[in-house]
Amino acid sequence: MAPERDIGGVNNNRLVKIHEACKVPPFSDDSTAAAVAATTLPLTYFDTYCFNLSPVDILLFYEIKDLTWDSFNSEILPKLKHSLSITLLHYLPVAGHLMWPPDAEKPAVYYFKDDGVSVTVAESNADLRRLLSSNNGTRRAVEFHPLAPRLSISEDKAEVTAIQITLFPNQGFSICISVHHTVIDGKSAVLFIKSWAYLCKKLQQQNVVVPVPSLLPESLTPCFDRSLIKDPHGIDMVYVKQLMAFTGSDPNTRSLKVTIPVPKVDSNLVRKTFTLTREDLNKLKHKLVLVNKDQHPSKQLHLSTFVLTCAHVFVCLVKARGEDTNTTVTFWVPADCRSRLDPPLPGNYFGSCILGEFVVAKAGDFMQEDGIAFVAEKLSDSVKGLKKGDAIIGTEDRIARELEVMKETGEQSIEIAIAGGTSHFDFYDSDFGWGKPNKVEIVSIDGTGAISLMQSRDGGSVEIGVVLDEPQMEVFTYLFVSGLNDRDDTSHPLRTVLRSRC
């Protein structure tokens, strides 16, 4: 009997059945034998900056009515697997492992001839329409966990990527890609998924079973050239040792285990998606410009889509949590550094290439009447501080400063982070031949205090994924909507509760 995973709690009659667990290697024949030779990809200080972070799980849903197991198994699954093998021919490190051999000074990504990506094929009897929740309703966070693969990470070896493909009979299917954050950041994840989708759609159009491997367009062809990032002072290993010391590990060990703890996901957590349209963002910008003109007339704020979105969402999150005004709030502002280096990296550079800035404040700063202006100013200053130059070059004390902030604020602080990219990441532009995904979720934000950001399916809005407990989500929803209205609904029952907290 095939193994089963409970979806959304016990005794609810919704299960995921595992049909197959296999490895998909890079495509190989006489013409590609030389291209799939063993290879090693060194890590840069951008990679080791994320050395101990948990994997990121990106879940894409595709609706196809009347999709039976037979048609899925004979038509869709073979194309997904074969196009994946062709994609891996261009992305060999993705099929490999992060390793730190005893005779190697530093960890690196190693690809050997017999390597491949772990692929799980499953079937779920859950209601796909409810999981998609087209009206952006709430769903239990734990319902999505059985749809995500488990990335294998041990002391001496870690998978770079794992994939799960799940059929929902007569409804559609999902693809979940779990990636190791040391090797793949959000932009690289988008690049890999879109490359796979491009080649799979090409199979659909050619309607052949085993075509000759295709070249990728230049925009999707990854660049693995690590010589582009200079590190004469060995900052890459400084980051590794500082992270290991912070988590209580012996800095002299070679453990690849994820050691920054992730809280256990509470069964009461719910997930909901929110959208900010261009009109909404213009409203927020107009409001902030007026406040800034009144309070800091000589200061120019950087009011990008990212800053506007995060300022609104962060204020709603802190207020929804209902913490004391003296509670410390820390939020992390990430930056893609490809274009910030001098000279800049190509946009298709593949790996991790993010750094960020920690901002520390008090919950009361968020709860004041113009809390959004306070947060927007902090975000604006952080983004400006991460422009080109020394600010984004690896330095010996960068992680030390950030870890010190985490140590000082402790477990009693509210931590807010951003996962799954920025408002420009177009995960929805991943058409494998059966149309764009109907929904994309970043499963790994559960229980972390992080939100997910991405470009919406229609391309004209920002989509925000939030996970909170149910009462907090009710408050967040009210705040998110009311913060965009020209007039506040003073009769709403939550209004009185929130005023009493400030």
Side-chain angles (χ1 to χ4, degrees):
M1 182 177 177
E4 296 177 333
R5 299 181 197 159
D6 183 39
I7 180 167
V10 294
N11 300 322
N12 62 358
N13 297 319
R14 292 200 298 278
L15 296 172
V16 170
K17 180 188 293 184
I18 307 301
H19 283 285
E20 179 187 8
C22 64
K23 279 195 180 294
V24 174
F27 182 88
S28 180
D29 63 9
D30 292 342
S31 66
T32 63
V36 292
T39 186
T40 302
L41 182 68
L43 302 184
T44 73
Y45 59 79
F46 287 111
D47 299 314
T48 58
Y49 179 76
C50 303
F51 192 68
N52 290 116
L53 295 183
S54 300
V56 177
D57 302 323
I58 305 154
L59 178 59
L60 304 92
F61 290 100
Y62 296 85
E63 273 195 290
I64 304 176
K65 293 181 180 179
D66 303 321
L67 179 62
T68 64
W69 169 257
D70 287 342
S71 58
F72 172 74
N73 193 43
S74 62
E75 298 175 23
I76 292 178
L77 193 56
K79 286 187 172 68
L80 287 173
K81 285 183 177 180
H82 188 65
S83 58
L84 175 60
S85 73
I86 299 173
T87 308
L88 293 173
L89 184 61
H90 302 277
Y91 288 82
L92 285 182
V94 174
H97 292 82
L98 179 64
M99 299 172 65
W100 198 348
D103 59 345
E105 180 186 0
K106 304 174 181 180
V109 178
Y110 292 83
Y111 168 76
F112 299 108
K113 187 176 180 181
D114 295 330
D115 281 342
V117 170
S118 297
V119 175
T120 300
V121 180
E123 180 180 346
S124 171
N125 64 355
D127 180 355
L128 182 58
R129 287 299 300 163
R130 202 184 62 76
L131 290 177
L132 297 180
S133 189
S134 57
N135 62 350
N136 290 333
T138 57
R139 296 138 298 154
R140 294 286 171 191
V142 293
E143 293 186 75
F144 296 86
H145 294 184
L147 305 176
R150 297 180 176 94
L151 201 66
S152 175
I153 302 176
S154 65
E155 293 285 346
D156 58 357
K157 193 175 186 180
E159 287 184 316
V160 173
T161 306
I163 293 170
Q164 179 168 321
I165 304 167
T166 305
L167 168 70
F168 296 81
N170 300 310
Q171 302 175 84
F173 67 95
S174 65
I175 300 174
C176 188
I177 301 97
S178 181
V179 300
H180 199 297
H181 215 317
T182 300
V183 187
I184 302 176
D185 64 10
K187 189 166 186 176
S188 293
V190 172
L191 188 69
F192 173 73
I193 295 170
K194 289 174 69 173
S195 298
W196 181 16
Y198 170 86
L199 291 171
C200 190
K201 188 172 184 178
K202 204 163 187 179
L203 286 187
Q204 288 278 76
Q205 294 167 342
Q206 293 173 342
N207 196 29
V208 290
V209 179
V210 185
V212 175
S214 303
L215 293 177
L216 287 167
E218 186 177 351
S219 61
L220 296 178
T221 302
C223 169
F224 293 105
D225 187 355
R226 293 311 193 247
S227 69
L228 297 173
I229 297 175
K230 310 303 179 186
D231 185 14
H233 304 296
I235 301 302
D236 53 355
M237 288 308 297
V238 171
Y239 285 178
V240 171
K241 291 178 179 179
Q242 288 177 340
L243 282 165
M244 294 183 75
F246 174 76
T247 55
S249 303
D250 182 349
N252 296 313
T253 63
R254 291 168 174 253
S255 175
L256 299 175
K257 281 278 192 180
V258 175
T259 51
I260 293 182
V262 176
K264 186 177 180 181
V265 178
D266 193 307
S267 60
N268 293 323
L269 289 177
V270 294
R271 170 182 289 271
K272 192 170 183 178
T273 302
F274 298 83
T275 301
L276 285 175
T277 64
R278 178 51 51 192
E279 181 183 359
D280 295 329
L281 293 166
N282 285 336
K283 281 184 181 180
L284 292 172
K285 187 172 185 177
H286 179 69
K287 180 191 299 186
L288 289 167
V289 167
L290 290 179
V291 173
N292 186 62
K293 188 176 181 180
D294 181 52
Q295 296 181 355
H296 309 288
S298 61
K299 185 170 185 177
Q300 186 74 30
L301 293 181
H302 178 83
L303 296 179
S304 63
T305 296
F306 174 82
V307 169
L308 293 168
T309 301
C310 290
H312 182 55
V313 172
F314 287 4
V315 167
C316 295
L317 277 173
V318 173
K319 288 183 177 180
R321 289 280 298 268
E323 302 283 354
D324 184 83
T325 55
N326 289 320
T327 301
T328 300
V329 179
T330 60
F331 55 91
W332 186 66
V333 184
D336 174 18
C337 295
R338 288 168 177 80
S339 63
R340 291 173 163 86
L341 289 171
D342 187 16
L345 299 180
N348 57 347
Y349 173 85
F350 191 92
S352 275
C353 196
I354 56 172
L355 290 178
E357 290 289 336
F358 267 107
V359 179
V360 181
K362 293 295 183 182
D365 297 323
F366 292 71
M367 296 176 183
Q368 59 185 313
E369 186 176 355
D370 291 328
I372 187 173
F374 169 84
V375 180
E377 183 179 356
K378 292 291 185 184
L379 286 164
S380 173
D381 291 344
S382 295
V383 171
K384 287 180 180 179
L386 289 166
K387 294 290 186 184
K388 290 183 178 181
D390 293 340
I392 54 92
I393 299 299
T395 59
E396 195 163 330
D397 65 340
R398 171 178 284 279
I399 278 193
R401 293 196 313 267
E402 295 180 4
L403 295 178
E404 189 62 31
V405 169
M406 293 172 66
K407 189 183 296 184
E408 288 178 356
T409 54
E411 296 181 358
Q412 302 306 313
S413 68
I414 300 174
E415 295 181 4
I416 306 173
I418 299 155
T422 72
S423 54
H424 300 297
F425 283 3
D426 51 349
F427 285 111
Y428 279 100
D429 194 21
S430 304
D431 180 359
F432 286 82
W434 299 279
K436 288 185 177 183
N438 296 84
K439 194 81 176 70
V440 179
E441 300 280 0
I442 307 299
V443 178
S444 43
I445 66 172
D446 295 2
T448 65
I451 62 169
S452 64
L453 292 180
M454 67 186 73
Q455 193 177 98
S456 64
R457 192 172 190 268
D458 64 13
S461 306
V462 181
E463 197 168 282
I464 307 109
V466 179
V467 176
L468 293 167
D469 66 36
E470 206 155 6
Q472 291 174 351
M473 188 65 82
E474 184 182 0
V475 177
F476 181 93
T477 303
Y478 163 73
L479 291 167
F480 187 90
V481 175
S482 64
L484 299 172
N485 291 337
D486 296 327
R487 294 182 180 180
D488 196 3
D489 182 5
T490 55
S491 64
H492 197 286
L494 285 174
R495 178 65 175 161
T496 304
V497 176
L498 291 167
R499 286 186 67 86
S500 68
R501 294 178 182 174
C502 300

mmCIF file of all heavy atoms in Angstrom, residues 91-127:
data_model
loop_
_atom_site.group_PDB
_atom_site.id
_atom_site.type_symbol
_atom_site.label_atom_id
_atom_site.label_comp_id
_atom_site.label_asym_id
_atom_site.label_seq_id
_atom_site.Cartn_x
_atom_site.Cartn_y
_atom_site.Cartn_z
ATOM 1 N N TYR A 91 21.060 23.306 -15.834
ATOM 2 C CA TYR A 91 21.166 23.674 -14.412
ATOM 3 C C TYR A 91 21.766 22.514 -13.613
ATOM 4 O O TYR A 91 21.170 22.048 -12.643
ATOM 5 C CB TYR A 91 19.778 23.995 -13.854
ATOM 6 C CG TYR A 91 19.154 25.286 -14.320
ATOM 7 C CD1 TYR A 91 18.484 25.363 -15.538
ATOM 8 C CD2 TYR A 91 19.195 26.431 -13.530
ATOM 9 C CE1 TYR A 91 17.884 26.546 -15.963
ATOM 10 C CE2 TYR A 91 18.598 27.611 -13.940
ATOM 11 C CZ TYR A 91 17.942 27.661 -15.156
ATOM 12 O OH TYR A 91 17.340 28.838 -15.560
ATOM 13 N N LEU A 92 22.938 22.029 -13.996
ATOM 14 C CA LEU A 92 23.533 20.859 -13.342
ATOM 15 C C LEU A 92 23.631 20.995 -11.815
ATOM 16 O O LEU A 92 23.333 20.039 -11.101
ATOM 17 C CB LEU A 92 24.922 20.572 -13.927
ATOM 18 C CG LEU A 92 24.965 19.931 -15.316
ATOM 19 C CD1 LEU A 92 26.416 19.664 -15.706
ATOM 20 C CD2 LEU A 92 24.171 18.637 -15.351
ATOM 21 N N PRO A 93 24.039 22.153 -11.256
ATOM 22 C CA PRO A 93 24.139 22.242 -9.791
ATOM 23 C C PRO A 93 22.814 21.975 -9.075
ATOM 24 O O PRO A 93 22.820 21.520 -7.928
ATOM 25 C CB PRO A 93 24.622 23.678 -9.561
ATOM 26 C CG PRO A 93 25.351 24.032 -10.814
ATOM 27 C CD PRO A 93 24.566 23.372 -11.916
ATOM 28 N N VAL A 94 21.692 22.248 -9.728
ATOM 29 C CA VAL A 94 20.388 22.009 -9.104
ATOM 30 C C VAL A 94 20.170 20.515 -8.863
ATOM 31 O O VAL A 94 19.468 20.107 -7.932
ATOM 32 C CB VAL A 94 19.253 22.595 -9.978
ATOM 33 C CG1 VAL A 94 17.890 22.230 -9.442
ATOM 34 C CG2 VAL A 94 19.398 24.119 -10.063
ATOM 35 N N ALA A 95 20.784 19.675 -9.681
ATOM 36 C CA ALA A 95 20.662 18.227 -9.535
ATOM 37 C C ALA A 95 21.669 17.666 -8.540
ATOM 38 O O ALA A 95 21.652 16.473 -8.243
ATOM 39 C CB ALA A 95 20.849 17.546 -10.890
ATOM 40 N N GLY A 96 22.560 18.508 -8.014
ATOM 41 C CA GLY A 96 23.611 18.051 -7.121
ATOM 42 C C GLY A 96 23.291 18.230 -5.655
ATOM 43 O O GLY A 96 22.126 18.312 -5.252
ATOM 44 N N HIS A 97 24.344 18.295 -4.845
ATOM 45 C CA HIS A 97 24.211 18.411 -3.397
ATOM 46 C C HIS A 97 25.183 19.450 -2.851
ATOM 47 O O HIS A 97 26.281 19.639 -3.388
ATOM 48 C CB HIS A 97 24.512 17.077 -2.710
ATOM 49 C CG HIS A 97 23.508 16.012 -2.981
ATOM 50 N ND1 HIS A 97 23.533 15.242 -4.131
ATOM 51 C CD2 HIS A 97 22.440 15.575 -2.254
ATOM 52 C CE1 HIS A 97 22.527 14.384 -4.101
ATOM 53 N NE2 HIS A 97 21.852 14.558 -2.980
ATOM 54 N N LEU A 98 24.757 20.114 -1.794
ATOM 55 C CA LEU A 98 25.668 20.943 -1.011
ATOM 56 C C LEU A 98 26.453 19.990 -0.110
ATOM 57 O O LEU A 98 25.855 19.199 0.631
ATOM 58 C CB LEU A 98 24.879 21.955 -0.183
ATOM 59 C CG LEU A 98 25.682 22.901 0.719
ATOM 60 C CD1 LEU A 98 26.579 23.810 -0.120
ATOM 61 C CD2 LEU A 98 24.748 23.736 1.590
ATOM 62 N N MET A 99 27.791 20.037 -0.184
ATOM 63 C CA MET A 99 28.626 19.122 0.586
ATOM 64 C C MET A 99 29.833 19.869 1.143
ATOM 65 O O MET A 99 30.205 20.934 0.651
ATOM 66 C CB MET A 99 29.095 17.948 -0.291
ATOM 67 C CG MET A 99 27.974 17.100 -0.855
ATOM 68 S SD MET A 99 28.539 15.868 -2.070
ATOM 69 C CE MET A 99 29.560 14.827 -1.031
ATOM 70 N N TRP A 100 30.432 19.267 2.176
ATOM 71 C CA TRP A 100 31.646 19.808 2.769
ATOM 72 C C TRP A 100 32.572 18.641 3.073
ATOM 73 O O TRP A 100 32.688 18.185 4.210
ATOM 74 C CB TRP A 100 31.322 20.590 4.035
ATOM 75 C CG TRP A 100 32.414 21.516 4.479
ATOM 76 C CD1 TRP A 100 33.703 21.566 4.037
ATOM 77 C CD2 TRP A 100 32.289 22.546 5.462
ATOM 78 N NE1 TRP A 100 34.404 22.559 4.665
ATOM 79 C CE2 TRP A 100 33.559 23.179 5.552
ATOM 80 C CE3 TRP A 100 31.254 23.002 6.265
ATOM 81 C CZ2 TRP A 100 33.800 24.234 6.437
ATOM 82 C CZ3 TRP A 100 31.491 24.045 7.137
ATOM 83 C CH2 TRP A 100 32.750 24.664 7.224
ATOM 84 N N PRO A 101 33.249 18.108 2.059
ATOM 85 C CA PRO A 101 34.106 16.932 2.236
ATOM 86 C C PRO A 101 35.245 17.203 3.221
ATOM 87 O O PRO A 101 35.680 18.354 3.380
ATOM 88 C CB PRO A 101 34.656 16.680 0.824
ATOM 89 C CG PRO A 101 33.708 17.376 -0.088
ATOM 90 C CD PRO A 101 33.223 18.566 0.676
ATOM 91 N N PRO A 102 35.737 16.165 3.888
ATOM 92 C CA PRO A 102 36.823 16.329 4.870
ATOM 93 C C PRO A 102 38.081 16.968 4.292
ATOM 94 O O PRO A 102 38.808 17.664 5.001
ATOM 95 C CB PRO A 102 37.105 14.888 5.322
ATOM 96 C CG PRO A 102 35.855 14.135 5.032
ATOM 97 C CD PRO A 102 35.267 14.776 3.811
ATOM 98 N N ASP A 103 38.336 16.751 2.999
ATOM 99 C CA ASP A 103 39.547 17.291 2.399
ATOM 100 C C ASP A 103 39.339 18.650 1.735
ATOM 101 O O ASP A 103 40.243 19.177 1.075
ATOM 102 C CB ASP A 103 40.109 16.311 1.371
ATOM 103 C CG ASP A 103 39.098 16.007 0.256
ATOM 104 O OD1 ASP A 103 37.901 16.323 0.442
ATOM 105 O OD2 ASP A 103 39.508 15.454 -0.779
ATOM 106 N N ALA A 104 38.133 19.220 1.901
ATOM 107 C CA ALA A 104 37.834 20.512 1.276
ATOM 108 C C ALA A 104 37.837 21.619 2.321
ATOM 109 O O ALA A 104 37.300 21.455 3.424
ATOM 110 C CB ALA A 104 36.483 20.469 0.567
ATOM 111 N N GLU A 105 38.446 22.750 1.987
ATOM 112 C CA GLU A 105 38.512 23.868 2.917
ATOM 113 C C GLU A 105 37.136 24.490 3.150
ATOM 114 O O GLU A 105 36.817 24.940 4.247
ATOM 115 C CB GLU A 105 39.474 24.932 2.375
ATOM 116 C CG GLU A 105 39.630 26.143 3.273
ATOM 117 C CD GLU A 105 40.481 27.238 2.645
ATOM 118 O OE1 GLU A 105 40.960 27.047 1.504
ATOM 119 O OE2 GLU A 105 40.636 28.291 3.289
ATOM 120 N N LYS A 106 36.320 24.496 2.097
ATOM 121 C CA LYS A 106 35.033 25.172 2.174
ATOM 122 C C LYS A 106 33.923 24.271 1.644
ATOM 123 O O LYS A 106 34.176 23.368 0.842
ATOM 124 C CB LYS A 106 35.062 26.454 1.332
ATOM 125 C CG LYS A 106 36.155 27.431 1.692
ATOM 126 C CD LYS A 106 36.175 28.600 0.706
ATOM 127 C CE LYS A 106 37.293 29.591 1.024
ATOM 128 N NZ LYS A 106 37.306 30.714 0.059
ATOM 129 N N PRO A 107 32.663 24.522 2.063
ATOM 130 C CA PRO A 107 31.539 23.806 1.453
ATOM 131 C C PRO A 107 31.340 24.279 0.025
ATOM 132 O O PRO A 107 31.731 25.392 -0.335
ATOM 133 C CB PRO A 107 30.348 24.181 2.336
ATOM 134 C CG PRO A 107 30.720 25.494 2.942
ATOM 135 C CD PRO A 107 32.213 25.474 3.097
ATOM 136 N N ALA A 108 30.735 23.440 -0.801
ATOM 137 C CA ALA A 108 30.457 23.785 -2.197
ATOM 138 C C ALA A 108 29.328 22.906 -2.695
ATOM 139 O O ALA A 108 28.892 21.967 -2.013
ATOM 140 C CB ALA A 108 31.710 23.595 -3.059
ATOM 141 N N VAL A 109 28.839 23.205 -3.884
ATOM 142 C CA VAL A 109 27.835 22.364 -4.525
ATOM 143 C C VAL A 109 28.551 21.410 -5.474
ATOM 144 O O VAL A 109 29.336 21.850 -6.321
ATOM 145 C CB VAL A 109 26.802 23.212 -5.298
ATOM 146 C CG1 VAL A 109 25.799 22.305 -6.008
ATOM 147 C CG2 VAL A 109 26.079 24.164 -4.352
ATOM 148 N N TYR A 110 28.280 20.124 -5.296
ATOM 149 C CA TYR A 110 28.918 19.098 -6.121
ATOM 150 C C TYR A 110 27.854 18.372 -6.943
ATOM 151 O O TYR A 110 26.824 17.960 -6.403
ATOM 152 C CB TYR A 110 29.646 18.077 -5.246
ATOM 153 C CG TYR A 110 30.847 18.621 -4.519
ATOM 154 C CD1 TYR A 110 30.702 19.311 -3.315
ATOM 155 C CD2 TYR A 110 32.128 18.452 -5.034
ATOM 156 C CE1 TYR A 110 31.809 19.816 -2.630
ATOM 157 C CE2 TYR A 110 33.245 18.957 -4.353
ATOM 158 C CZ TYR A 110 33.080 19.629 -3.162
ATOM 159 O OH TYR A 110 34.167 20.130 -2.494
ATOM 160 N N TYR A 111 28.112 18.241 -8.222
ATOM 161 C CA TYR A 111 27.264 17.404 -9.072
ATOM 162 C C TYR A 111 28.096 16.232 -9.586
ATOM 163 O O TYR A 111 29.189 16.421 -10.128
ATOM 164 C CB TYR A 111 26.700 18.181 -10.267
ATOM 165 C CG TYR A 111 26.084 17.251 -11.293
ATOM 166 C CD1 TYR A 111 24.835 16.678 -11.060
ATOM 167 C CD2 TYR A 111 26.794 16.887 -12.437
ATOM 168 C CE1 TYR A 111 24.296 15.771 -11.964
ATOM 169 C CE2 TYR A 111 26.255 15.986 -13.345
ATOM 170 C CZ TYR A 111 25.005 15.426 -13.096
ATOM 171 O OH TYR A 111 24.482 14.517 -13.980
ATOM 172 N N PHE A 112 27.574 15.003 -9.377
ATOM 173 C CA PHE A 112 28.213 13.797 -9.882
ATOM 174 C C PHE A 112 27.284 13.124 -10.897
ATOM 175 O O PHE A 112 26.079 13.393 -10.942
ATOM 176 C CB PHE A 112 28.546 12.837 -8.743
ATOM 177 C CG PHE A 112 29.504 13.416 -7.737
ATOM 178 C CD1 PHE A 112 29.068 13.790 -6.461
ATOM 179 C CD2 PHE A 112 30.834 13.604 -8.063
ATOM 180 C CE1 PHE A 112 29.953 14.331 -5.539
ATOM 181 C CE2 PHE A 112 31.725 14.145 -7.145
ATOM 182 C CZ PHE A 112 31.287 14.505 -5.881
ATOM 183 N N LYS A 113 27.854 12.228 -11.673
ATOM 184 C CA LYS A 113 27.151 11.660 -12.823
ATOM 185 C C LYS A 113 25.818 11.019 -12.461
ATOM 186 O O LYS A 113 24.854 11.085 -13.230
ATOM 187 C CB LYS A 113 28.045 10.639 -13.521
ATOM 188 C CG LYS A 113 27.472 10.123 -14.828
ATOM 189 C CD LYS A 113 28.436 9.191 -15.526
ATOM 190 C CE LYS A 113 27.828 8.676 -16.836
ATOM 191 N NZ LYS A 113 28.748 7.733 -17.526
ATOM 192 N N ASP A 114 25.717 10.370 -11.292
ATOM 193 C CA ASP A 114 24.493 9.662 -10.921
ATOM 194 C C ASP A 114 23.498 10.521 -10.142
ATOM 195 O O ASP A 114 22.486 10.011 -9.664
ATOM 196 C CB ASP A 114 24.840 8.417 -10.094
ATOM 197 C CG ASP A 114 25.620 7.398 -10.909
ATOM 198 O OD1 ASP A 114 25.414 7.356 -12.137
ATOM 199 O OD2 ASP A 114 26.439 6.661 -10.316
ATOM 200 N N ASP A 115 23.779 11.812 -10.012
ATOM 201 C CA ASP A 115 22.885 12.693 -9.248
ATOM 202 C C ASP A 115 21.628 13.023 -10.038
ATOM 203 O O ASP A 115 21.579 12.892 -11.267
ATOM 204 C CB ASP A 115 23.606 13.992 -8.879
ATOM 205 C CG ASP A 115 24.537 13.832 -7.692
ATOM 206 O OD1 ASP A 115 24.378 12.847 -6.954
ATOM 207 O OD2 ASP A 115 25.420 14.701 -7.513
ATOM 208 N N GLY A 116 20.622 13.496 -9.313
ATOM 209 C CA GLY A 116 19.375 13.931 -9.924
ATOM 210 C C GLY A 116 18.507 14.590 -8.879
ATOM 211 O O GLY A 116 18.822 14.579 -7.681
ATOM 212 N N VAL A 117 17.422 15.166 -9.307
ATOM 213 C CA VAL A 117 16.484 15.826 -8.393
ATOM 214 C C VAL A 117 15.462 14.807 -7.887
ATOM 215 O O VAL A 117 14.875 14.061 -8.678
ATOM 216 C CB VAL A 117 15.768 16.997 -9.098
ATOM 217 C CG1 VAL A 117 14.620 17.529 -8.253
ATOM 218 C CG2 VAL A 117 16.753 18.113 -9.400
ATOM 219 N N SER A 118 15.249 14.783 -6.584
ATOM 220 C CA SER A 118 14.228 13.912 -6.004
ATOM 221 C C SER A 118 12.843 14.409 -6.401
ATOM 222 O O SER A 118 12.517 15.583 -6.179
ATOM 223 C CB SER A 118 14.338 13.893 -4.475
ATOM 224 O OG SER A 118 15.572 13.349 -4.067
ATOM 225 N N VAL A 119 12.051 13.513 -6.979
ATOM 226 C CA VAL A 119 10.694 13.857 -7.409
ATOM 227 C C VAL A 119 9.711 12.887 -6.765
ATOM 228 O O VAL A 119 9.864 11.664 -6.873
ATOM 229 C CB VAL A 119 10.549 13.814 -8.940
ATOM 230 C CG1 VAL A 119 9.095 14.045 -9.354
ATOM 231 C CG2 VAL A 119 11.453 14.856 -9.592
ATOM 232 N N THR A 120 8.726 13.434 -6.073
ATOM 233 C CA THR A 120 7.650 12.646 -5.472
ATOM 234 C C THR A 120 6.380 12.860 -6.283
ATOM 235 O O THR A 120 6.026 14.012 -6.597
ATOM 236 C CB THR A 120 7.402 13.075 -4.013
ATOM 237 O OG1 THR A 120 8.610 12.884 -3.260
ATOM 238 C CG2 THR A 120 6.280 12.265 -3.382
ATOM 239 N N VAL A 121 5.710 11.761 -6.642
ATOM 240 C CA VAL A 121 4.435 11.841 -7.355
ATOM 241 C C VAL A 121 3.347 11.397 -6.391
ATOM 242 O O VAL A 121 3.418 10.303 -5.809
ATOM 243 C CB VAL A 121 4.432 10.950 -8.611
ATOM 244 C CG1 VAL A 121 3.091 11.048 -9.325
ATOM 245 C CG2 VAL A 121 5.566 11.363 -9.550
ATOM 246 N N ALA A 122 2.352 12.252 -6.193
ATOM 247 C CA ALA A 122 1.331 11.990 -5.175
ATOM 248 C C ALA A 122 -0.066 12.257 -5.722
ATOM 249 O O ALA A 122 -0.239 12.781 -6.821
ATOM 250 C CB ALA A 122 1.598 12.849 -3.941
ATOM 251 N N GLU A 123 -1.046 11.901 -4.916
ATOM 252 C CA GLU A 123 -2.455 12.131 -5.272
ATOM 253 C C GLU A 123 -3.196 12.575 -4.019
ATOM 254 O O GLU A 123 -3.018 12.000 -2.947
ATOM 255 C CB GLU A 123 -3.071 10.845 -5.819
ATOM 256 C CG GLU A 123 -4.532 10.967 -6.222
ATOM 257 C CD GLU A 123 -5.083 9.650 -6.770
ATOM 258 O OE1 GLU A 123 -4.269 8.749 -7.081
ATOM 259 O OE2 GLU A 123 -6.321 9.532 -6.866
ATOM 260 N N SER A 124 -4.007 13.604 -4.155
ATOM 261 C CA SER A 124 -4.757 14.147 -3.020
ATOM 262 C C SER A 124 -6.250 14.139 -3.319
ATOM 263 O O SER A 124 -6.670 14.407 -4.449
ATOM 264 C CB SER A 124 -4.323 15.589 -2.727
ATOM 265 O OG SER A 124 -5.177 16.192 -1.767
ATOM 266 N N ASN A 125 -7.046 13.825 -2.288
ATOM 267 C CA ASN A 125 -8.500 13.882 -2.461
ATOM 268 C C ASN A 125 -9.092 15.164 -1.875
ATOM 269 O O ASN A 125 -10.295 15.249 -1.629
ATOM 270 C CB ASN A 125 -9.169 12.647 -1.849
ATOM 271 C CG ASN A 125 -8.966 12.575 -0.336
ATOM 272 O OD1 ASN A 125 -8.255 13.386 0.248
ATOM 273 N ND2 ASN A 125 -9.591 11.588 0.296
ATOM 274 N N ALA A 126 -8.227 16.169 -1.643
ATOM 275 C CA ALA A 126 -8.709 17.448 -1.107
ATOM 276 C C ALA A 126 -9.476 18.214 -2.174
ATOM 277 O O ALA A 126 -9.349 17.961 -3.379
ATOM 278 C CB ALA A 126 -7.529 18.285 -0.617
ATOM 279 N N ASP A 127 -10.265 19.181 -1.729
ATOM 280 C CA ASP A 127 -11.035 20.042 -2.619
ATOM 281 C C ASP A 127 -10.104 21.145 -3.135
ATOM 282 O O ASP A 127 -9.779 22.083 -2.403
ATOM 283 C CB ASP A 127 -12.219 20.645 -1.854
ATOM 284 C CG ASP A 127 -13.085 21.551 -2.721
ATOM 285 O OD1 ASP A 127 -12.720 21.795 -3.890
ATOM 286 O OD2 ASP A 127 -14.122 22.025 -2.226
#
